[in-house]
Amino acid sequence: MSTPPSSLPGGSWTLGDQPVTRFGYGAMQLAGPWAMGPPADPDGARALLRDAVGLGITHIDTSDAYGPRFTNRLIREALHPYAASLRIVTKVGANRDAQGGWPTARQPDQLRRQIDDNLESLGLDVLDVVNLRLGDAEGPREESLAEPFEALVELQGQGLIRHLGVSNATAAQVAQAQAIAPIVCVQNMYNLAHRHDDELIDRLADNGVAYVPFFPLGGFNPLQSEALRKVASRHNTTTIAIALAWLLQRSPNVLLIAGTSSAAHLRENIAGTRISLTDQDLADLAACT
Ligand SMILES: NC(=O)c1ccc[n+]([C@@H]2O[C@H](COP(=O)([O-])OP(=O)(O)OC[C@H]3O[C@@H](n4cnc5c(N)ncnc54)[C@H](OP(=O)(O)O)[C@@H]3O)[C@@H](O)[C@H]2O)c1
């Protein structure tokens, strides 16, 4: 299927049958510090979401666990009825506790409830893409995903989900999911300083599956390195722009969902990410690992 041209850096990618801009938006931090609500500035958050779509972004990443519920509600309040081109990608597999923890919730009945909650809070009849979040807050864990993934495949069969993905997954879990049903994306932690998924990214690119790095800027621990500063200074730009441009240049199947609570930062990131990194830049940035 052909994809519409995008004026955003990186152009477009097709998630299953759904074209999206490779420059997307990660909505987690709109909920508040540590993704726990209520948000300090809901009007500002809604304005930012409208800005993101106004700037041409057609991929928003969210979860009903952000807030919990606040982020999805903000998205609905700001953007519903949704533009036909907008794809909202959500994830299930964890809830929130009162301390802000992320307890695992991957029993089939828990997943069903999370799908219903996402449909309700986003105001949708069908979810575009649902990622099954695996492992825990410490990272991926090598364990079978068969039971929870098959539960989502069943809900997909009931027409509640268009496409499936996995998150916080090992390469073996990605292969296990693909042996059960097609996936359109893998959302794992990856950035200039955490490149453990290099082989997986290349394999997914060969399969036409998107790789969506979470914490592309380091998340709660912002990326910092002398090499990054040196390359940013060479291009007269920010370290953030370099980190995002590097991801876009890494492989065509890499999609950006960098988070920001600032419309000015969003514009700055779009403008800054248009740069093309040279071989010398890439060699220098190898020192970030
Ligand atoms: N699947 C999973 O398990 C999982 C886990 C974590 C996150 N995620 C997804 O990944 C998305 C991205 O992760 P993230 O937002 O946590 O981390 P991130 O994108 O690595 O970093 C976001 C941080 O970067 C800052 N930032 C962005 N642009 C900036 C700029 N131009 N200047 C200065 N600071 C800037 C933001 O601060 P400001 O707000 O001040 O701009 C924010 O604190 C999330 O929104 C979420 O959708 C998924």
Side-chain angles (χ1 to χ4, degrees):
M1 169 186 264
S2 66
T3 54
S6 163
S7 58
L8 292 167
S12 303
W13 175 264
T14 304
L15 273 177
D17 58 350
Q18 312 183 125
V20 291
T21 49
R22 288 183 67 212
F23 198 106
Y25 175 69
M28 181 175 82
Q29 309 214 12
L30 291 182
W34 302 100
M36 283 297 276
D41 178 14
D43 287 342
R46 286 186 284 265
L48 177 57
L49 285 160
R50 285 191 285 267
D51 251 17
V53 171
L55 289 164
I57 288 174
T58 63
H59 174 199
I60 294 180
D61 186 76
T62 186
S63 165
D64 213 36
Y66 299 159
R69 309 217 87 182
F70 284 112
T71 296
N72 276 3
R73 283 185 188 147
L74 287 169
I75 291 172
R76 179 182 185 159
E77 288 160 9
L79 301 175
H80 196 279
Y82 302 112
S85 58
L86 181 64
R87 304 278 72 93
I88 299 176
V89 177
T90 191
K91 64 191 78 67
V92 292
N95 285 324
R96 303 303 295 279
D97 60 27
Q99 291 71 43
W102 305 80
T104 295
R106 293 200 285 268
Q107 294 298 318
D109 60 322
Q110 293 173 313
L111 293 172
R112 172 70 209 221
R113 211 168 311 128
Q114 290 167 66
I115 293 297
D116 287 343
D117 287 348
N118 273 282
L119 288 166
E120 195 271 325
S121 56
L122 290 168
L124 289 169
D125 296 325
V126 51
L127 298 166
D128 288 325
V129 181
V130 174
N131 283 312
L132 173 64
R133 187 178 184 277
L134 298 158
D136 56 29
E138 303 305 312
R141 283 194 192 283
E142 210 57 86
E143 58 195 351
S144 173
L145 54 60
E147 187 189 38
F149 192 68
E150 282 166 3
L152 290 183
V153 171
E154 196 176 320
L155 296 173
Q156 183 181 36
Q158 293 172 21
L160 302 179
I161 300 169
R162 283 204 181 87
H163 298 291
L164 293 169
V166 291
S167 177
N168 210 27
T170 66
Q173 287 168 329
V174 171
Q176 192 189 8
Q178 288 180 304
I180 296 170
I183 58 169
V184 298
C185 54
V186 173
Q187 184 176 126
N188 277 0
M189 181 176 173
Y190 181 85
N191 57 46
L192 262 170
H194 292 88
R195 306 187 193 182
H196 47 277
D197 271 348
D198 273 332
E199 270 183 48
L200 179 62
I201 291 174
D202 295 337
R203 182 168 76 69
L204 293 173
D206 291 344
N207 296 172
V209 174
Y211 183 89
V212 186
F214 75 73
F215 292 161
L217 302 172
F220 300 113
N221 301 299
L223 292 174
Q224 293 183 13
S225 94
E226 197 39 52
L228 193 48
R229 278 189 285 275
K230 179 173 150 187
V231 175
S233 145
R234 185 181 294 150
H235 286 273
N236 198 21
T237 188
T238 63
T239 54
I240 283 174
I242 298 295
L244 294 177
W246 179 83
L247 284 170
L248 277 187
Q249 223 165 300
R250 170 63 185 78
S251 180
N253 65 326
V254 171
L255 310 185
L256 297 185
I257 53 163
T260 179
S261 53
S262 151
H265 284 173
L266 182 63
R267 285 190 158 75
E268 193 180 298
N269 295 349
I270 291 172
T273 304
R274 289 186 199 285
I275 52 171
S276 183
L277 298 172
T278 64
D279 289 346
Q280 182 61 55
D281 296 331
L282 298 177
D284 289 341
L285 291 170
C288 289
T289 49

